[in-house]
Amino acid sequence: MVDRIVAAGRAVLAEEGYDACSTNRIAARAGVSPGSVYQYFPDKAAIVAAVIEGWSDETAERVAASLADRVGEPGGIGMVRATIEALLSALEADPELLRVVSEELPLAQHKDRRTALERRVRELTATWLAVRPGASTVPEPAVSAWVLVLALENLAVRWVLDSPPVPRERLVEELVALVTGYLSVPRPG
């Protein structure tokens, strides 16, 4: 029943947006009475939190798994490309929910989940950079990882939401160039 209500909440959020989402609409979508919803969730915010938790976990798993699978690979362009592809695929999986999360939800409702996702990917990126001291010119892998993760996340989200006239393959090439160029430019330590 909980999974059914959360799935209905996700559908209502994605289709109607945060403001139009209500426990009554979620109950109707789940095919249950509003009273049944309240047996499991005290209010709309609790359902939205469960939806965001599930969506964040799915997104984090796709991106982190791609990165974790390649941390030990020699070279770097393959890992960079695979991680960018995984990020785009994760965001493209549910663009309507991404729009609600990015543009409609109060930040306080999803900041912890977003921060946890960014931290996980950042730590894997920093590890990858640290185990390849000669592969890049970055003096502080943790700082460079922070810059890369936030830059890629924001560019990928905007590409999915804005639908610019940039084909996906071209975007991937640009992002790979951005990352590899950033990592290879000599900088003062």
Side-chain angles (χ1 to χ4, degrees):
M1 179 66 85
V2 169
D3 291 342
R4 194 161 132 191
I5 294 168
V6 172
R10 183 173 177 155
V12 171
L13 267 175
E15 292 168 10
E16 300 182 33
Y18 179 74
D19 289 337
C21 181
S22 68
T23 53
N24 286 340
R25 285 191 168 134
I26 293 169
R29 181 66 176 249
V32 300
S33 71
S36 294
V37 171
Y38 288 115
Q39 287 179 324
Y40 299 96
F41 296 96
D43 54 22
K44 167 183 157 176
I47 299 169
V48 170
V51 168
I52 299 310
E53 180 178 345
W55 178 77
S56 296
D57 288 348
E58 290 168 19
T59 304
E61 187 54 38
R62 290 177 89 164
V63 177
S66 175
L67 188 53
D69 288 347
R70 290 169 176 81
V71 166
E73 285 183 5
I77 291 180
M79 189 279 302
V80 170
R81 183 179 308 285
T83 302
I84 290 168
E85 291 278 1
L87 174 62
L88 289 172
S89 294
L91 296 176
E92 289 171 315
D94 198 340
E96 295 82 13
L97 188 57
L98 174 64
R99 181 171 308 284
V100 171
V101 170
S102 297
E103 298 176 352
E104 295 181 28
L105 275 184
L107 181 59
Q109 288 193 2
H110 65 93
K111 185 176 182 180
D112 291 343
R113 300 302 289 174
R114 180 178 176 174
T115 302
L117 166 61
E118 289 170 354
R119 185 181 318 110
R120 186 172 177 197
V121 174
R122 206 172 50 240
E123 288 167 354
L124 287 166
T125 303
T127 299
W128 182 78
L129 290 170
V131 298
R132 289 173 178 65
S136 76
T137 59
V138 299
E140 294 182 60
V143 173
S144 297
W146 181 82
V147 169
L148 287 172
V149 168
L150 290 181
L152 290 177
E153 174 191 1
N154 284 297
L155 288 167
V157 166
R158 292 307 344 144
W159 182 80
V160 171
L161 295 182
D162 297 346
S163 301
V166 178
R168 189 181 200 276
E169 300 77 30
R170 182 70 184 146
L171 176 69
V172 170
E173 293 304 317
E174 290 294 322
L175 294 177
V176 168
L178 179 75
V179 171
T180 56
Y182 174 74
L183 294 177
S184 65
V185 173
R187 290 179 266 162

